[in-house]
Amino acid sequence: MYSPELMAKSVALAFIGDVMLGRGVNEEIPQRSAESFWGDVLPILRGVDAVIANLECAITQNTQECRRTPKVFHFRADPAAVEVLRAANIQCVNLANTAKRNKSIQGTARNWKSLQPNYGNYSGGLSGTG
Protein backbone atom coordinates (compact mmCIF):
# COMPACT_ATOMS: atom_id res chain seq x y z
CA MET A 1 0.00 0.00 0.00
CA TYR A 2 1.25 3.47 -0.88
CA SER A 3 2.45 5.57 2.04
CA PRO A 4 4.08 9.01 1.54
CA GLU A 5 6.19 8.48 4.68
CA LEU A 6 7.46 5.14 3.42
CA MET A 7 8.17 6.49 -0.05
CA ALA A 8 10.20 9.37 1.42
CA LYS A 9 12.68 7.00 3.10
CA SER A 10 15.71 6.14 1.04
CA VAL A 11 17.60 2.87 1.32
CA ALA A 12 21.30 2.49 0.61
CA LEU A 13 22.40 -0.91 -0.74
CA ALA A 14 25.84 -2.23 -1.59
CA PHE A 15 26.43 -5.12 -3.97
CA ILE A 16 29.69 -7.02 -3.84
CA GLY A 17 30.83 -9.94 -5.92
CA ASP A 18 33.10 -12.92 -5.70
CA VAL A 19 33.42 -13.22 -1.93
CA MET A 20 35.88 -16.08 -1.50
CA LEU A 21 36.14 -17.42 2.03
CA GLY A 22 37.68 -20.77 1.07
CA ARG A 23 41.30 -21.74 0.51
CA GLY A 24 43.78 -19.57 2.43
CA VAL A 25 41.08 -17.34 3.90
CA ASN A 26 39.41 -20.32 5.59
CA GLU A 27 42.74 -21.19 7.22
CA GLU A 28 43.05 -17.64 8.61
CA ILE A 29 39.52 -17.36 10.07
CA PRO A 30 40.35 -19.02 13.43
CA GLN A 31 43.33 -16.68 13.96
CA ARG A 32 41.83 -13.32 12.97
CA SER A 33 38.81 -11.21 13.79
CA ALA A 34 35.96 -11.34 11.29
CA GLU A 35 36.28 -7.59 10.74
CA SER A 36 39.95 -7.79 9.74
CA PHE A 37 39.18 -9.53 6.44
CA TRP A 38 37.42 -6.45 5.03
CA GLY A 39 40.17 -3.86 5.48
CA ASP A 40 39.38 -0.28 4.45
CA VAL A 41 36.06 -1.19 2.85
CA LEU A 42 34.45 -2.27 6.17
CA PRO A 43 33.17 1.23 7.14
CA ILE A 44 31.54 1.56 3.71
CA LEU A 45 29.79 -1.80 4.03
CA ARG A 46 28.63 -1.01 7.54
CA GLY A 47 27.44 2.43 6.43
CA VAL A 48 24.68 1.12 4.14
CA ASP A 49 21.35 -0.44 5.05
CA ALA A 50 22.22 -3.83 3.55
CA VAL A 51 24.95 -5.57 1.59
CA ILE A 52 24.20 -8.26 -0.99
CA ALA A 53 27.11 -10.53 -1.89
CA ASN A 54 27.95 -13.24 -4.40
CA LEU A 55 29.43 -16.11 -2.38
CA GLU A 56 32.10 -18.02 -4.31
CA CYS A 57 32.52 -20.98 -1.98
CA ALA A 58 30.43 -23.50 -0.11
CA ILE A 59 30.17 -22.91 3.63
CA THR A 60 29.95 -26.43 4.97
CA GLN A 61 31.75 -28.99 7.10
CA ASN A 62 31.35 -31.47 4.23
CA THR A 63 34.70 -32.22 2.61
CA GLN A 64 33.45 -34.66 -0.05
CA GLU A 65 34.22 -33.19 -3.45
CA CYS A 66 31.66 -33.20 -6.22
CA ARG A 67 32.31 -36.00 -8.68
CA ARG A 68 29.47 -35.40 -11.15
CA THR A 69 30.93 -32.12 -12.35
CA PRO A 70 34.64 -32.29 -13.21
CA LYS A 71 36.48 -29.43 -11.48
CA VAL A 72 40.09 -28.57 -10.83
CA PHE A 73 39.34 -26.42 -7.76
CA HIS A 74 36.93 -27.19 -4.92
CA PHE A 75 36.34 -24.16 -2.71
CA ARG A 76 34.95 -24.65 0.80
CA ALA A 77 34.90 -22.69 4.03
CA ASP A 78 34.04 -23.87 7.53
CA PRO A 79 30.71 -22.69 9.05
CA ALA A 80 32.64 -20.15 11.16
CA ALA A 81 33.07 -18.16 7.91
CA VAL A 82 29.51 -16.91 8.36
CA GLU A 83 30.89 -14.51 10.99
CA VAL A 84 33.04 -12.86 8.31
CA LEU A 85 29.89 -12.21 6.28
CA ARG A 86 28.00 -10.87 9.29
CA ALA A 87 30.86 -8.50 10.18
CA ALA A 88 30.41 -6.79 6.80
CA ASN A 89 26.65 -6.20 7.15
CA ILE A 90 25.89 -8.80 4.46
CA GLN A 91 22.15 -9.36 4.58
CA CYS A 92 21.73 -11.59 1.54
CA VAL A 93 24.04 -13.94 -0.36
CA ASN A 94 23.81 -15.43 -3.80
CA LEU A 95 25.29 -18.92 -3.99
CA ALA A 96 27.44 -18.80 -7.09
CA ASN A 97 27.72 -21.82 -9.36
CA THR A 98 31.13 -22.53 -7.88
CA ALA A 99 29.62 -22.63 -4.38
CA LYS A 100 26.93 -25.03 -5.50
CA ARG A 101 29.15 -27.30 -7.57
CA ASN A 102 32.16 -27.53 -5.26
CA LYS A 103 30.64 -30.11 -2.97
CA SER A 104 28.19 -32.97 -3.27
CA ILE A 105 24.44 -32.38 -3.07
CA GLN A 106 24.70 -33.26 0.63
CA GLY A 107 27.43 -30.64 1.00
CA THR A 108 25.25 -28.05 -0.73
CA ALA A 109 22.38 -28.86 1.62
CA ARG A 110 24.75 -28.39 4.57
CA ASN A 111 25.90 -25.13 2.98
CA TRP A 112 22.33 -23.83 3.19
CA LYS A 113 21.99 -25.07 6.77
CA SER A 114 25.11 -23.08 7.68
CA LEU A 115 23.67 -19.98 6.05
CA GLN A 116 20.02 -20.36 7.10
CA PRO A 117 20.20 -19.15 10.74
CA ASN A 118 21.99 -15.98 9.68
CA TYR A 119 20.76 -15.61 6.12
CA GLY A 120 17.15 -16.52 5.55
CA ASN A 121 17.78 -14.44 2.45
CA TYR A 122 19.82 -16.18 -0.19
CA SER A 123 19.46 -17.08 -3.82
CA GLY A 124 20.76 -20.03 -5.79
CA GLY A 125 19.26 -23.46 -6.02
CA LEU A 126 20.05 -27.13 -6.33
CA SER A 127 19.46 -27.09 -10.06
CA GLY A 128 22.60 -28.24 -11.82
CA THR A 129 24.33 -29.19 -8.59
CA GLY A 130 26.23 -32.41 -8.65
Side-chain angles (χ1 to χ4, degrees), residues 21 34 50-53 55 59-60 78-95 110-123:
L21 299 174
V51 178
I52 300 164
L55 184 60
I59 296 180
T60 178
D78 293 318
V82 169
E83 294 305 316
V84 177
L85 300 174
R86 293 178 81 191
N89 189 29
I90 296 174
Q91 303 293 317
C92 179
V93 295
N94 174 61
L95 302 178
R110 289 186 191 114
N111 185 19
W112 288 329
K113 285 182 183 176
S114 295
L115 292 170
Q116 191 85 41
N118 301 293
Y119 297 97
N121 302 314
Y122 60 84
S123 63

Side-chain angles (χ1 to χ4, degrees), residues 9-14 44-51 89-91:
K9 181 173 172 31
S10 64
V11 176
L13 300 175
I44 297 167
L45 298 175
R46 287 184 167 175
V48 298
D49 294 303
V51 178
N89 189 29
I90 296 174
Q91 303 293 317

Side-chain angles (χ1 to χ4, degrees), residues 20-75:
M20 171 54 76
L21 299 174
R23 301 178 76 175
V25 175
N26 190 53
E27 295 169 9
E28 290 288 319
I29 289 172
Q31 285 107 40
R32 293 175 47 186
S33 71
E35 293 81 7
S36 71
F37 290 94
W38 297 102
D40 294 342
V41 76
L42 186 62
I44 297 167
L45 298 175
R46 287 184 167 175
V48 298
D49 294 303
V51 178
I52 300 164
N54 191 49
L55 184 60
E56 287 289 336
C57 66
I59 296 180
T60 178
Q61 290 178 326
N62 183 51
T63 57
Q64 179 183 358
E65 295 177 356
C66 173
R67 291 194 173 98
R68 287 179 46 199
T69 306
K71 292 182 59 84
V72 175
F73 300 104
H74 297 270
F75 303 125

